[in-house]
Amino acid sequence: MPGPGSEPASPHPVPEAGPAGRPDRAVVRDALGVGVAVGLSGFAFGVTSAGAGLSLLQTCALSLLVFTGASQFALVGALAAGGNPFTAAAGAFFLGTRNAFYGLRLSQLLALPRPVRPLAAHWVIDETAAVSLAQPDRRAARVGFTVTGLTLYVLWNLTTLLGALGAEAVGDTDAWGLDAAGPAVFLALLAPMLRTATERAVAGVAVVLGLGFLPVLPAGVPVLVAALAAPVVLWCEGRRAGRTAKGADR
C-alpha cells in the first residue's frame, strides 16, 4: 500500500480483532457478494473494448494491469469515439487518481507488511476500499480486502476475456447494441455511490458539462472538463454555508 517510511500514527487507532469483531464467515460472505456482483461486469468491458477496436491481448492486458473499471471504460470509450490516445489515457488516469486517496487510508487501516504492500496496492479500488472500511477491526478489514480483491480480480479478468471473445464471435457490436453495455454498467456502478445532495449535484453538473462540450471538443476532453464539476459545486456549497453562518450571527 502507498506510504513509505514508518507507519504513521493515526489519531483514531484501528483496533485489532477483539470480542466486538465480526465473524470471518460474515465478512467473507459480504466480500464475495461484492466481488461476484462487480466482477461479472468485466464481460461488458470486454465487449466494449473489442467494439472499440482493441485486440484481445490489449483488452486482457488492460484488465490485468490497470484493474480499475471506471478508468478502463473511460479509456476505451474515448478511443471508440475517435479520441486521441493521449487524451483518452489522461482521462483514464484522472479517474484512477482516487485510488491513491483510498490507499492512504487503507495503509493505516490494514497495516500490511512492507513486502506485501506493492502487490496489495494493485487491488486498491472502490469495492475493496468500501468493504475494508466497513469492518469494525483490523482483522476483519484484512479479510474483507483480501477476499474482495481476489474474487474481483479473478472474475473481472475472466469475464473480460469471455466478453472480448464473445464480441469477436458476434462480429459488429454496434449492430447488436453492445456498444451501450459499457456506459450502462458504468452508470449502474456509479448511481448507488451518490448518497448526499452534494454528490448528486456534482454528478448533475458533470453530466451537463460533459454533454455540453461533447459536440465542440475532441473525444475524451469533455470527460476532463466534467471534472470541474467538483470544485464548482464545493465552491458554491462553501459560499452558501458562509452566508448561512453570517445570517445566524446577526
Side-chain angles (χ1 to χ4, degrees):
M1 308 292 281
S6 58
E7 192 64 46
S10 172
H12 305 290
V14 180
E16 298 289 351
R22 295 182 67 198
D24 288 351
R25 181 181 301 177
V27 180
V28 170
R29 180 194 62 218
D30 293 347
L32 284 174
V34 172
V36 171
V38 180
L40 295 177
S41 302
F43 184 86
F45 171 72
V47 170
T48 305
S49 181
L54 275 71
S55 68
L56 178 64
L57 179 60
Q58 290 171 326
T59 297
C60 291
L62 277 174
S63 283
L64 285 167
L65 302 177
V66 178
F67 188 53
T68 172
S71 296
Q72 292 178 230
F73 277 118
L75 176 64
V76 299
L79 293 176
N84 182 286
F86 293 103
T87 303
F93 175 81
F94 178 82
L95 288 173
T97 55
R98 72 194 186 284
N99 295 335
F101 296 98
Y102 296 154
L104 292 174
R105 179 67 184 99
L106 290 177
S107 67
Q108 296 181 6
L109 175 64
L110 302 177
L112 296 172
R114 286 180 182 275
V116 178
R117 292 184 181 186
L119 298 175
H122 194 48
W123 287 357
V124 176
I125 53 176
D126 297 330
E127 292 76 21
T128 54
V131 172
S132 301
L133 293 172
Q135 306 310 319
D137 55 63
R138 176 163 289 144
R139 173 182 170 80
R142 286 179 171 180
V143 172
F145 178 87
T146 303
V147 175
T148 305
L150 179 61
T151 305
L152 187 47
Y153 188 73
V154 171
L155 274 180
W156 181 267
N157 281 282
L158 178 60
T159 54
T160 292
L161 173 62
L162 295 177
L165 291 173
E168 290 184 354
V170 300
D172 184 7
T173 56
D174 290 344
W176 292 77
L178 297 179
D179 54 317
V185 171
F186 184 82
L187 291 175
L189 294 175
L190 177 65
M193 301 179 187
L194 306 178
R195 298 185 178 92
T196 67
T198 299
E199 291 170 347
R200 289 191 288 269
V202 170
V205 174
V207 168
V208 171
L209 289 174
L211 293 179
F213 284 98
L214 189 61
V216 296
L217 293 177
V221 177
V223 175
L224 301 178
V225 175
L228 296 174
V232 168
V233 171
L234 292 176
W235 180 80
C236 293
E237 289 283 332
R239 295 267 297 181
R240 186 175 65 178
R243 288 196 298 266
T244 301
K246 287 181 180 178
D249 291 339
R250 292 177 181 175

